[in-house]
């Protein structure tokens, strides 16, 4: 397992990013496993990067049969800058409300060192045993899934229970075929050394099953978004290797404290 510690990056001023249509070439669903997953997703959506790269109304190129006038009359935009109907029919109110909630948990970030090459990340909260993870036995779908075991604003006394729940989630993942297992990571924000050791012990038990372990010093929305951006880039690099394969059970010893690729 390879480890390193993530710190805040020096980024260009996002306010200087030109307003222009950008290409959304990468789409992932990030399954956020945490009791406060909804709050975590909400925090990510308030980050400066998320605001800067969110598609604006009018950035969508009209599709066949769609006119500029039609788009101008619509008041809301979806995950790719596509306008949503402001008045869903009564029979579809629940479906539309769920869709709009899902849209609010979609963030965009630049990847491949190119501000015009975007990844779309749909943050899917997974809270407690009542929420099942949307895993798939289709390798093409599984390659677009990332399971993030998140420790964010968690009291030290609660961490043991969090890690205990993770064992059940890992069992869900391991129950899928090896070539359909999603990229799985631990994202830990602003925890103390004893808590890092607890998380590392869990990670050591999951060698060959977890792909990354990251210990991040800060827990602000901007740091969350930067971690998600790095996660997107790692998923892109992993996709270049082809369909998910069974990972080796043993890996070289860590050279430094923090981010791990297993």
């Amino acid at each position: 397992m390879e480890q390193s510690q993530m710190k805040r990056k020096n980024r260009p001023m996002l306010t200087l990013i030109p307003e222009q249509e950008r290409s959304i070439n990468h789409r992932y669903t990030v399954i956020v496993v945490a009791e406060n997953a909804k709050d975590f997703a909400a925090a990510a959506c308030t980050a400066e990067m998320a605001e800067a790269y969110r598609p604006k109304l009018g950035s969508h190129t009209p599709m066949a049969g769609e006119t500029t006038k039609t788009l101008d009359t619509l008041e809301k935009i979806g995950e790719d800058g596509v306008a949503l109907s402001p008045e869903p029919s009564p029979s579809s109110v629940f479906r539309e409300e769920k869709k709009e909630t899902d849209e609010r948990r979609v963030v965009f970030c630049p990847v491949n060192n190119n501000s015009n090459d975007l990844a779309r990340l749909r943050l899917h909260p997974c809270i407690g045993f009542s929420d099942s993870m949307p895993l798939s036995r289709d390798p093409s779908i599984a390659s677009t899934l990332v399971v993030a075991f998140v420790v964010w604003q968690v009291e030290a006394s609660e961490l043991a229970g969090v890690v205990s729940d993770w064992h059940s989630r890992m069992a869900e993942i391991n129950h899928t075929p090896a070539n359909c297992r999603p990229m799985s990571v631990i994202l830990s924000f602003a925890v103390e050394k004893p808590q890092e050791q607890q998380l590392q012990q869990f990670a050591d038990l999951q060698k060959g099953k977890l792909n990354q372990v990251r210990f991040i010093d800060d827990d602000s929305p901007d740091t969350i978004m930067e971690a998600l951006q790095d996660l997107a880039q790692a998923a892109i690099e992993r996709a270049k290797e082809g369909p998910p394969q069974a990972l080796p059970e043993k890996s070289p010893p860590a050279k430094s404290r923090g981010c791990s690729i297993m």
Side-chain angles (χ1 to χ4, degrees):
M1 187 194 311
E2 176 189 343
Q3 282 192 324
S4 65
Q5 185 165 2
M6 175 180 170
K7 295 184 178 181
R8 292 300 306 275
K9 306 173 185 177
N10 293 322
R11 296 175 292 126
M13 291 183 62
L14 295 179
T15 54
L16 300 180
I17 295 171
E19 288 292 337
Q20 63 188 67
E21 185 171 355
R22 303 181 178 96
S23 178
I24 303 170
N25 295 319
H26 318 278
R27 292 169 168 80
Y28 295 97
T29 295
V30 180
I31 304 167
V32 181
V33 180
E35 286 298 321
N36 56 356
K38 292 181 180 179
D39 292 336
F40 177 85
C45 292
T46 66
E48 183 182 1
M49 185 189 303
E51 294 288 348
Y53 286 97
R54 181 174 294 117
K56 305 299 189 295
L57 183 62
S59 66
H60 170 63
T61 302
M63 301 173 64
E66 199 174 54
T67 66
T68 301
K69 181 177 180 181
T70 300
L71 286 177
D72 288 343
T73 62
L74 299 175
E75 300 175 354
K76 298 179 182 178
I77 62 171
E79 61 188 39
D80 292 336
V82 180
L84 303 175
S85 170
E87 296 182 359
S89 62
S91 62
S92 63
V93 168
F94 177 79
R95 184 173 64 254
E96 289 299 323
E97 287 180 349
K98 184 179 185 302
K99 181 177 181 180
E100 290 186 23
T101 298
D102 290 344
E103 297 295 351
R104 288 196 294 270
R105 293 179 182 142
V106 172
V107 294
F108 300 81
C109 59
V111 290
N112 297 323
N113 296 316
N114 185 347
S115 63
N116 290 328
D117 185 9
L118 298 189
R120 183 203 70 188
L121 305 179
R122 182 187 297 278
L123 306 180
H124 180 100
C126 189
I127 304 169
F129 293 107
S130 60
D131 289 345
S132 61
M133 295 189 295
L135 304 179
S136 174
R137 291 179 175 268
D138 182 334
S140 63
I141 296 176
S143 66
T144 68
L145 301 177
V146 178
V147 177
F149 296 97
V150 172
V151 177
W152 178 71
Q153 298 185 352
V154 173
E155 296 292 335
S157 60
E158 299 173 351
L159 189 57
V162 169
V163 172
S164 177
D165 291 341
W166 287 358
H167 284 283
S168 298
R169 295 301 183 180
M170 286 302 303
E172 289 184 56
I173 294 171
N174 295 334
H175 189 64
T176 61
N179 67 332
C180 295
R181 291 172 189 166
M183 180 176 176
S184 301
V185 306
I186 292 176
L187 296 180
S188 173
F189 296 84
V191 301
E192 300 297 329
K193 184 66 175 180
Q195 286 69 56
E196 284 189 9
Q197 293 174 346
Q198 281 183 269
L199 296 174
Q200 190 60 58
Q201 289 172 0
F202 171 82
D204 290 342
L205 293 174
Q206 305 300 328
K207 284 186 177 180
K209 301 171 185 177
L210 281 172
N211 299 91
Q212 290 187 359
V213 179
R214 311 198 69 177
F215 298 120
I216 303 163
D217 288 338
D218 184 44
D219 63 358
S220 68
D222 287 335
T223 304
I224 291 173
M225 196 61 220
E226 289 172 6
L228 292 174
Q229 181 186 29
D230 289 344
L231 195 59
Q233 189 65 53
I236 291 169
E237 297 301 324
R238 183 173 184 252
K240 293 177 182 178
E241 302 173 0
Q245 302 294 324
L247 299 174
E249 289 295 333
K250 295 183 179 180
S251 56
K255 294 183 178 180
S256 60
R257 190 172 68 90
C259 172
S260 314
I261 298 179
M262 304 161 105

